[in-house]
Amino acid sequence: ASPDPIDAFLAAPEGEAHHPLHVPRMQLRLLHLFLASETEPIDALLDERMRRYLMRVRSFFEPGGPLAARLPGLVWPLIDFFLSSSQDVQAAMDVAVANCRAHGGEWEVGVLLMFRTHMVVDSSGGTDDVDDALAELRILSRRAGDRWMRAQVCSAAGETAMSRSRLEEARGEYEEALRLAHEVGAHAETPFLMTRLAEIAYRTGDRTAALTALDEASAAADRYGVADSRAFVLLMRAQIALDDKDTARARALCEEARAEMARGTPPPQFHVMLNAIEAMVVTAESGPEHGLPLLADMLRVAVEKRCADVITAALADAVADVLARLGDHPRAVRLLAASEHWRRGYPRPLPEREHAERAEAAARTALGAERFAAEHSRGTALTHDDVLHDVAEAVRGRRHSAEQSP
């Protein structure tokens, strides 16, 4: 049997560097990793042997220069996505973008800037400085005449608009991205874009349009074998089943989404939101006292993973709703205020808006206007760590009360 190529590479760290085919071999290895990232679960790439392999490939391209400013070399920061936190990936992306500006053309700069923009939009504080990048990307994609890049730019702009609750603007961006993706045959992209359009319909209260779009997205994901999009569709269906108070169906859909997720490479915030919906299922089945610790844990993970601010804010709203149902109105108000601050003042979409309005109405009645205003003011100034500490105290208090009960 022929030796495993990865084992052979790792066993010869010195000799191969002088081989005349060393550079094209390294390019082929990185290209293989890039393609594998679209088809294989990330966990399959994270045993100790693969980590050593990934770091060897990364170290070849990280110093920069012309090789790292054209495909496949320019995608080397993808390895940091496998190995590190999103903050580390952003630093690697900044290095790669600077290298492309020095050694690459406008298309290469656009590709790296596009990857970086998609990544930062999904990170805490990611929309604070994204507008300049989007403006540059629109110029670069037009100059390059690259419809795939234009589709990616529209998708990133749609996600940015969604994070700001500008849903009609987001719809227009995603529709244009979908049109361009169809034109260039970007079949891995189309199911995701369809699901985003379904989410917009759902968040604007058009349930019929949302279900129709989910059916279309599901068919496209099956046709092209896109596991991440299948999982996204199932997540949306689970949320709708939860709205219908069909907890058995919501739980089954969550389990299906988890199985699909294991076949793909979803971002950390997808894991967080799936676990959050499962926590809401537990709340519906067993009561808010059982859902609280699960939601609190997901809020903590979202902060630790530096998920997008809208994700962290949505989890804070969910925890506030549960706290209000448990009668802890002061803490619920503080969390609602913190969520509003994290959203940069942009309005909540559905279903978070309904949850927040319900919790706020109960708190106003229980606390009165003066106390409500005082707690809201306190909440606006809370950091992520302050909120996590506040919620952890609530969980400990509920646990202690349960232990003291006969």
Side-chain angles (χ1 to χ4, degrees):
S2 59
D4 181 275
I6 295 177
D7 288 340
F9 174 55
L10 293 175
E14 300 297 333
E16 189 182 286
H18 304 291
H19 195 284
L21 295 178
H22 181 53
V23 169
R25 283 174 174 173
M26 294 304 289
Q27 291 175 310
L28 186 60
R29 289 176 177 120
L30 185 57
L31 180 61
H32 172 256
L33 289 169
F34 178 64
L35 295 174
S37 72
E38 293 293 321
T39 58
E40 297 178 21
I42 290 178
D43 290 347
L45 300 171
L46 290 184
D47 61 33
E48 184 54 37
R49 169 176 166 273
M50 283 302 297
R51 281 181 176 275
R52 288 193 293 126
Y53 178 61
L54 289 165
M55 291 307 297
R56 286 277 301 281
V57 175
R58 181 192 189 281
S59 66
F60 179 81
F61 292 99
E62 184 188 16
L67 275 178
R70 63 174 184 261
L71 278 177
L74 58 81
V75 301
W76 69 264
L78 177 75
I79 293 175
D80 282 43
F81 176 76
F82 291 141
L83 296 174
S84 309
S85 70
S86 57
Q87 192 168 19
D88 294 326
V89 179
Q90 184 168 333
M93 280 288 182
D94 290 342
V95 170
V97 170
N99 183 68
C100 277
R101 291 192 191 280
H103 298 284
E106 289 189 336
W107 184 86
E108 288 79 11
V109 172
V111 169
L112 256 298
L113 198 58
M114 177 194 66
F115 285 160
R116 182 187 183 280
T117 301
H118 273 295
M119 187 204 68
V120 299
V121 167
D122 283 341
S123 303
S124 178
T127 61
D128 291 348
D129 61 354
V130 75
D131 295 306
D132 289 344
L134 286 172
E136 182 179 3
L137 277 167
R138 291 191 195 278
I139 293 169
L140 292 174
S141 62
R142 282 198 299 270
R143 284 180 182 168
D146 188 328
R147 289 172 294 173
W148 171 75
M149 188 188 296
R150 282 169 52 203
Q152 292 288 333
V153 175
C154 289
S155 177
E159 196 160 353
T160 301
M162 283 190 75
S163 73
R164 295 167 174 171
S165 292
R166 297 174 181 168
L167 298 183
E168 286 307 311
E169 178 184 333
R171 190 198 310 275
E173 295 286 0
Y174 281 124
E175 286 174 345
E176 177 65 3
L178 183 60
R179 184 187 69 79
L180 291 164
H182 278 308
E183 282 188 8
V184 299
H187 301 312
E189 308 288 342
T190 54
F192 170 79
L193 296 168
M194 292 174 179
T195 310
R196 276 300 201 197
L197 288 167
E199 182 181 2
I200 291 170
Y202 167 71
R203 289 187 175 279
T204 53
D206 192 343
R207 179 192 175 96
T208 301
L211 292 171
T212 299
L214 285 174
D215 288 342
E216 294 172 353
S218 181
D222 289 343
R223 185 180 311 121
Y224 301 119
V226 187
D228 285 356
S229 291
R230 278 198 292 254
F232 191 6
V233 168
L234 290 164
L235 179 75
M236 288 293 305
R237 292 194 193 280
Q239 178 65 66
I240 292 171
L242 194 61
D243 293 345
D244 291 341
K245 298 182 171 50
D246 189 347
T247 54
R249 175 168 167 73
R251 179 172 289 285
L253 287 164
C254 284
E255 290 171 0
E256 288 183 52
R258 194 171 297 283
E260 286 295 337
M261 189 172 65
R263 300 184 183 99
T265 55
Q269 60 193 41
F270 186 89
H271 294 255
V272 168
M273 290 311 297
L274 178 58
N275 288 335
I277 290 178
E278 288 185 331
M280 294 177 198
V281 171
V282 170
T283 301
E285 290 173 337
S286 306
E289 65 276 11
H290 295 284
L292 175 61
L294 301 175
L295 284 169
D297 193 46
M298 283 307 99
L299 179 59
R300 177 187 58 78
V301 172
V303 171
E304 290 176 353
K305 297 288 186 182
R306 301 186 72 251
C307 288
D309 295 321
V310 288
I311 300 294
T312 311
L315 285 163
D317 289 337
V319 175
D321 186 33
V322 169
L323 288 170
R325 291 166 62 184
L326 290 168
D328 192 347
H329 298 293
R331 201 172 260 117
V333 173
R334 294 197 292 272
L335 258 69
L336 290 173
S339 167
E340 290 159 13
H341 179 66
W342 296 343
R343 292 177 188 276
R344 311 295 197 270
Y346 295 112
R348 295 177 175 92
L350 293 171
E352 290 93 331
R353 185 170 71 238
E354 290 180 344
H355 299 163
E357 287 173 351
R358 180 172 62 208
E360 183 177 316
R364 285 185 184 278
T365 300
L367 301 177
E370 187 174 340
R371 176 77 187 280
F372 181 96
E375 296 294 350
H376 192 278
S377 179
R378 285 181 60 194
T380 300
L382 295 180
T383 66
H384 286 119
D385 286 342
D386 293 334
V387 167
L388 292 181
H389 180 74
D390 208 5
V391 172
E393 281 194 346
V395 172
R396 282 194 296 271
R398 299 298 306 180
R399 188 173 293 135
H400 180 72
S401 297
E403 290 170 354
Q404 298 302 310
S405 299

